[in-house]
């Protein structure tokens, strides 16, 4: 019982990590809270759902969803953040602006879905269960854990070992000094928003699959969890966000069970 709940919590926590990493990445670089991140997460699930029912293979639907949510995140930056950021002292105005974008995206999803709860068609993902070391685990849970592990490792490598990653860390530390060294801060902002949006979109698809439930308000509870993760893990800390997400997932699973 205990081991099974810990496993379930790790699966949930890994999805929290995908969602929270994008939120943390934007805050770490720009020191701004993106309240539209939950709507981006929701949009990822919606886009994958409508691509799937249109006949697109599910893997292509996921790829298209990540690309679309990455572009949506870039639009959010251009519309809600860039002008305010250029004026300085943008924390509160940008927060209010991102709430406005969130409301717009949620309203669009509400109209498109007619407030109904959507479900992926039966058989979208194989339903298989395995018994390993006394634990019952589904193929979907295995895939989620594997995908999240690969993406998290790739993101850490990207931020720590690549030229772009060094530029991100330079802008996060001191934008003016980074600009004097030839770093294009605007390019860094666009790329971090794209990565954050793509990760949020994938997290939305995985949650939609895991619970087979997609609806226009699904991103709001995850925004609250992202705040918890950011505070526990340390503001702007990628590694802290991962640990805090897993801790939150396991804690929730154990609290529900016991």
């Amino acid at each position: 019982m205990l081991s099974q709940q810990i496993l379930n919590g790790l699966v949930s926590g890994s999805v929290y990590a995908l969602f929270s990493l994008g939120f943390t990445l934007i805050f770490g670089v720009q020191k701004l809270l993106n309240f539209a991140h939950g709507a981006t997460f929701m949009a990822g699930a919606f886009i994958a759902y409508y691509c799937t029912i249109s006949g697109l293979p599910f893997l292509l639907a996921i790829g298209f969803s990540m690309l679309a949510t990455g572009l949506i995140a870039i639009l959010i930056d251009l519309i809600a953040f860039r002008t305010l950021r250029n004026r300085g002292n943008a924390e509160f105005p940008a927060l209010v602006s991102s709430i406005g974008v969130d409301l717009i995206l949620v309203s669009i999803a509400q109209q498109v879905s007619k407030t109904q709860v959507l479900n992926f068609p039966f058989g979208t993902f194989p339903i298989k269960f395995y018994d390993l070391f006394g634990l019952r685990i589904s193929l979907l849970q295995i895939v989620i854990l594997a995908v999240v592990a690969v993406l998290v490792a790739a993101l850490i490598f990207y931020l720590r070992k690549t030229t772009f990653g060094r530029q991100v860390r330079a802008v996060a530390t001191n934008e003016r000094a980074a600009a004097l060294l030839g770093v294009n801060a605007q390019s860094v902002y666009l790329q971090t928003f794209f990565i954050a949006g793509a990760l949020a979109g994938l997290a939305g698809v995985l949650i939609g699959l895991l619970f087979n439930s997609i609806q226009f308000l699904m991103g709001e509870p995850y925004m609250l969890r992202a705040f918890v993760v950011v505070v526990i893990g340390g503001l702007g800390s990628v590694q802290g966000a991962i640990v805090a997400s897993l801790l939150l997932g396991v804690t929730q699973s154990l609290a529900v069970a016991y």
Side-chain angles (χ1 to χ4, degrees):
M1 177 69 173
L2 176 61
S3 301
Q4 184 68 54
Q5 294 305 323
I6 291 175
L7 172 63
N8 296 339
L10 289 175
V11 173
S12 299
S14 62
V15 180
Y16 295 165
L18 269 188
F19 179 85
S20 301
L21 278 175
F23 190 74
T24 300
L25 188 61
I26 292 173
F27 183 84
V29 174
Q30 300 196 39
K31 306 299 184 292
L32 298 174
L33 295 174
N34 178 19
F35 273 87
H37 196 64
T40 308
F41 164 88
M42 173 271 299
F46 267 73
I47 292 169
Y49 168 78
Y50 284 109
C51 286
T52 301
I53 65 173
S54 297
L56 196 67
F58 187 59
L59 287 178
L60 289 180
I62 293 177
F64 184 78
S65 175
M66 293 178 67
L67 175 62
T69 50
L71 295 176
I72 288 172
I74 287 178
L75 286 175
I76 291 172
D77 177 47
L78 296 176
I79 294 170
F81 289 101
R82 173 171 288 191
T83 302
L84 296 173
R85 184 169 59 235
N86 292 338
R87 295 178 180 177
N89 297 321
E91 289 82 359
F92 182 73
L95 185 150
V96 175
S97 181
S98 68
I99 291 175
V101 175
D102 175 79
L103 293 174
I104 291 171
L105 292 175
V106 168
S107 296
I108 292 173
Q110 182 180 9
Q111 293 297 321
V112 168
S113 65
K114 296 180 174 58
T115 70
Q116 295 179 350
V117 177
L118 309 176
N119 310 106
F120 282 109
F122 183 79
T124 297
F125 192 90
I127 301 175
K128 295 182 180 179
F129 290 88
Y130 305 95
D131 292 317
L132 299 174
F133 308 107
L135 299 175
R136 186 167 176 80
I137 183 171
S138 69
L139 177 61
L140 177 58
Q141 289 177 316
I142 295 173
V143 170
I144 288 175
L145 290 172
V147 168
V148 171
V150 170
L151 287 178
V152 166
L155 179 62
I156 293 175
F157 176 84
Y158 196 52
L159 292 176
R160 295 291 177 183
K161 301 296 184 181
T162 67
T163 300
F164 169 70
R166 287 190 288 272
Q167 292 176 352
V168 170
R169 288 185 280 121
V171 172
T173 302
N174 191 316
E175 180 182 343
R176 181 172 296 180
L180 292 175
L181 294 173
V183 177
N184 186 337
Q186 297 298 336
S187 175
V188 169
Y189 292 147
L190 291 178
Q191 293 182 63
T192 52
F193 262 91
F194 181 85
I195 292 172
L199 291 177
L202 177 59
V205 177
L206 294 179
I207 285 295
L209 272 177
L210 191 62
F211 298 105
N212 199 21
S213 175
I214 301 169
Q215 51 101 5
F216 66 98
L217 289 175
M218 64 184 290
E220 306 312 306
Y222 286 86
M223 279 303 302
L224 295 176
R225 292 164 189 162
F227 277 115
V228 174
V229 166
V230 167
V231 171
I232 295 177
L235 300 177
S237 171
V238 171
Q239 292 87 343
I242 297 168
V243 174
S245 297
L246 295 176
L247 178 62
L248 177 62
V250 172
T251 302
Q252 282 188 319
S253 181
L254 293 176
V256 169
Y258 292 100

